[in-house]
Amino acid sequence: MPRRIRPQTGPADDALIGQAIERASRETYTTTPPRTLQGQINYLLRKLGTARAVAAEIGVTADSVNRYRRGARKHPPSHVQSRIDEAVRSRWQPRVQERARRRAAQQTGMTVEFRATFGYTAPIGTTDEARERLLTLHLPAPWASRLLDAQYGRTTESPNEVLAQAALDLYFQERGTRARRLDVEITGIDYIAARF
C-alpha cells in the first residue's frame, strides 16, 4: 500500500510555491506590458490614481514619481526599477492571468520545477539518506487544480502537501507502477519555478 509524502516544512515553502504560481500567471499576458519608465509610471498612475499611491507602492516620494512621469529622471536605482516592474506585472491583464490559471486547472495542467531535500524510508538494502534533488514535474489538470485550490485557500491542504503528493505519485511511484512501499519526506524547498 503506498504511503503519503510527509512534508516537514513551514509556511516559507508554501510562500515560495505561491510566488512561483504568481510569477507563472504573470507571464501569460497576451500583449507586453509597458517597457519604458514613463509608460510604466503612467500605467501605474492610471491603476492607482495618484502619484502618492504609486510612490507608496514602489517606495519613493511622490516628487520622484512625477519626475519619472515627466521624463526628468530616466534611470531609477535598480531596486526601484525592479519594484516598478513588479507593480506593473502584478496588475497587467488580470483577466488573462485568471483565464490561464483556470485553463491549467481544467485542461492543460502546469509544469513545476523545484529543488528540495528528500529523505527516504525504503526496504532494507536501499538508501535512506536525505539528499537534494531537482525535479521537473508536469502536473496534469487534476493535480494543477488541487495545487491552485490549495494556494488560494479553497481546500484544507497546503500547497506543499499537494506538491509533495504529486511528486510521490508522478515521479517516485510513476502513478503506482513502482516503489509502492516507498515513503518520501520533503524537508525544504529552496528553488521553485512554475509554467502554465
Side-chain angles (χ1 to χ4, degrees):
M1 183 164 124
R3 300 182 201 167
R4 292 177 59 212
I5 289 181
R6 297 187 314 263
Q8 299 288 317
T9 57
D13 284 340
D14 289 338
L16 288 173
I17 295 168
Q19 291 167 8
I21 290 171
E22 290 305 313
R23 281 192 307 269
S25 65
R26 289 179 194 157
E27 297 301 320
T28 60
Y29 40 73
T30 56
T31 60
T32 58
R35 292 184 181 178
T36 65
L37 180 61
Q38 278 183 296
Q40 290 175 322
I41 294 297
N42 286 330
Y43 175 76
L44 290 174
L45 283 168
R46 282 193 306 274
K47 288 295 181 181
L48 299 175
T50 65
R52 181 171 283 165
V54 174
E57 177 76 17
I58 62 175
V60 297
T61 65
D63 288 340
S64 292
V65 169
N66 286 322
R67 283 193 293 274
Y68 297 149
R69 181 184 52 80
R70 289 190 315 265
R73 187 161 183 206
K74 298 182 182 191
H75 302 289
S78 60
H79 68 282
V80 173
Q81 183 62 56
S82 66
R83 286 188 206 141
I84 293 169
D85 292 339
E86 181 68 22
V88 169
R89 285 192 187 135
S90 68
R91 290 169 176 79
W92 189 253
Q93 295 185 329
R95 285 181 284 195
V96 172
Q97 292 179 27
E98 179 56 35
R99 199 173 333 137
R101 287 190 291 266
R102 201 173 324 116
R103 188 173 56 248
Q106 296 172 354
Q107 298 171 352
T108 60
M110 64 191 293
T111 300
V112 179
E113 179 181 76
F114 65 101
R115 184 174 50 235
T117 303
F118 291 90
Y120 304 92
T121 303
I124 296 173
T126 59
T127 182
D128 62 354
E129 292 180 16
R131 67 176 187 219
E132 202 171 74
R133 282 184 186 245
L134 177 66
L135 298 183
T136 301
L137 298 174
H138 177 72
L139 305 179
W143 281 111
S145 177
R146 281 181 65 186
L147 183 60
L148 291 168
D149 285 346
Q151 173 59 33
Y152 295 110
R154 296 187 286 250
T155 66
T156 57
E157 294 178 299
S158 76
N160 188 277
E161 290 172 331
V162 174
L163 188 60
Q165 291 169 11
L168 176 64
D169 182 46
L170 300 173
Y171 180 77
F172 293 104
Q173 292 182 339
E174 293 181 1
R175 298 180 190 238
T177 61
R178 68 183 189 96
R180 291 193 177 115
R181 296 190 309 156
L182 183 67
D183 189 15
V184 179
E185 215 173 71
I186 295 179
T187 56
I189 297 173
D190 70 347
Y191 159 78
I192 184 164
R195 188 174 63 251
F196 294 133

